Amino acid sequence: MCDSIQIVAYIDRDLSSEDYGDCNFPSEPLDAGVSTSADFRFHFGISPLTGARFKITPLGMQHPINKNQLLSYGRIAAYLIEVNVPACTIGHNRQLVNGVPMAMRSAILLLKTWLAANGCTKAGLERIKPKNAVLVGVTLTYLYAFETAALARAALFDFRNHSEAVMNKGRKGSKTKPPAFSIPKDVVPIESANTFTSYVRQREWQIAAYIKQANQPNGLCLPLDDDGLEVEMQALTERTLRVEVTVHAKWLRDEQLHAIEAWIGRDEPYARVFALLRLTLKLDVELRKKRLKKTTIPGMALTAIEKKFMLYHRNGGTVYDHKDRCNYQEIAWQKFYSAMRTKVRDLHKIDLDTPYDIQIQFISPELSELLVYPGEHQPAPHLAGYQYSRITMPVVCRKLTGFTDTLVGRGFGVSKFPSLSGRIGYQGIAPKPGWKGGFANAPKC
């Protein structure tokens, strides 16, 4: 489920100045040339396995005043690594299994290939450990496969319509950007082969839904070397709705999920991240789909003024901007409106923040039934060796470790990584004899 990841990999903090000098931690590639600034800059590493890029930023010692910030110059204390782990280890992220711990370990191994290629010593590499890393951002991907690509696209349209209906209030004078939107913005007909990505942005997390198509720019998709399996994999991908939840540093820290130990052998953190999706999209709030008759409003369990506003809402008005709000002080109006909105929603399944016709037309009960926590993705046995999975990743980690060992002390430089331009595809890793798809005895993620 873990796709992209951001971690701060700390160097052991007990290094003396002499030991630090022996480690030769690089702040830039050997072939970077002369810089006019002493500040650290970000650089791109290249995966020696797939040719995909990952981002590295050296970080300095703790800021003397802001204890949550690291300096951008001086002695290196850590490296910020931003990597799409499946793309950098297997070559594609169309189907993925592994969790956060394996992603963190893989990111550190990729960092070490870059460090070794740019002059870091063996002693330096040994001073960077997964247990010292801090998770500052992670994207978990949840997959929903349909029988046909058309059904997957229909689910994506439901996601966009529902998310924009429940999230975008559209009040007068609002200068904030709507939290739910899609890219591209142009309407894509449901029968079209083209698609879009639907986003919902919140302060501490972001949600995205899309269908991964072939030949997309920056698609990070190395084909499989078996043509038949490649066709099967892509067909499966095009009938799969991908829902991604990205959580940021503050949320991870507040939830005590910033350390690798918090994720090892546990399913609960993945379910907790998924719960943000249902909370944000109000999938556990039953909202009315059947059109309300005007004659029903007088009999509602509401006060007279609440019934007045309910009728105004039923007729297409925006209650929050009703002319009668001028009879209240601003704070008093906000409190009254909030209490009324909660009461109407709980008793009558109507959200005053959502325009009435939009709620009736676009709220999707089917989405609530579809988007339930799926648990860990279970790949088909014959495809598991071609995915980011429990079969492939132990082998990948051994390859990255071996590659780093050959570079230590040689100072090859990033440009000396092997050229992958001639590769035709990912060759896959065969499961052990007798393996039938279960993961009871597979390496933990």
Side-chain angles (χ1 to χ4, degrees), residues 378-382 384 391 431-440:
Q378 299 290 318
H382 67 292
I391 287 178
K432 293 181 179 180
W435 186 79
K436 298 180 180 180
F439 291 107

Side-chain angles (χ1 to χ4, degrees), residues 95-97 143 374-381 384 387 390 435 437-440:
Q95 302 285 306
L96 58 160
V97 174
L143 305 174
E376 183 177 278
H377 172 62
Q378 299 290 318
Q387 298 179 20
R390 297 191 180 208
W435 186 79
F439 291 107

Side-chain angles (χ1 to χ4, degrees), residues 333-375:
W333 169 252
Q334 291 176 3
K335 289 182 178 180
F336 169 76
Y337 176 81
S338 178
M340 177 175 59
R341 176 174 174 260
T342 300
K343 182 179 179 180
V344 169
R345 183 190 62 206
D346 292 346
L347 291 179
H348 303 293
K349 312 304 181 185
I350 294 173
D351 186 356
L352 295 180
D353 262 351
T354 302
Y356 181 75
D357 285 343
I358 289 180
Q359 174 174 326
I360 297 302
Q361 184 176 357
F362 292 126
I363 295 296
S364 174
E366 294 80 9
L367 205 63
S368 179
E369 296 176 5
L370 168 67
L371 297 182
V372 296
Y373 177 60

Side-chain angles (χ1 to χ4, degrees), residues 257-301:
L257 292 176
H258 56 291
I260 191 171
E261 290 83 3
W263 297 82
I264 294 176
R266 300 179 63 207
D267 184 64
E268 189 273 338
Y270 304 94
R272 202 188 314 175
V273 172
F274 183 85
L276 295 174
L277 167 70
R278 295 193 64 86
L279 173 68
T280 304
L281 298 186
K282 304 177 185 176
L283 295 180
D284 293 316
V285 178
E286 182 183 352
L287 293 175
R288 185 184 182 97
K289 284 287 291 180
K290 185 178 180 181
R291 185 168 290 277
L292 178 69
K293 295 181 179 179
K294 295 181 182 180
T295 54
T296 303
I297 295 177
M300 285 183 166

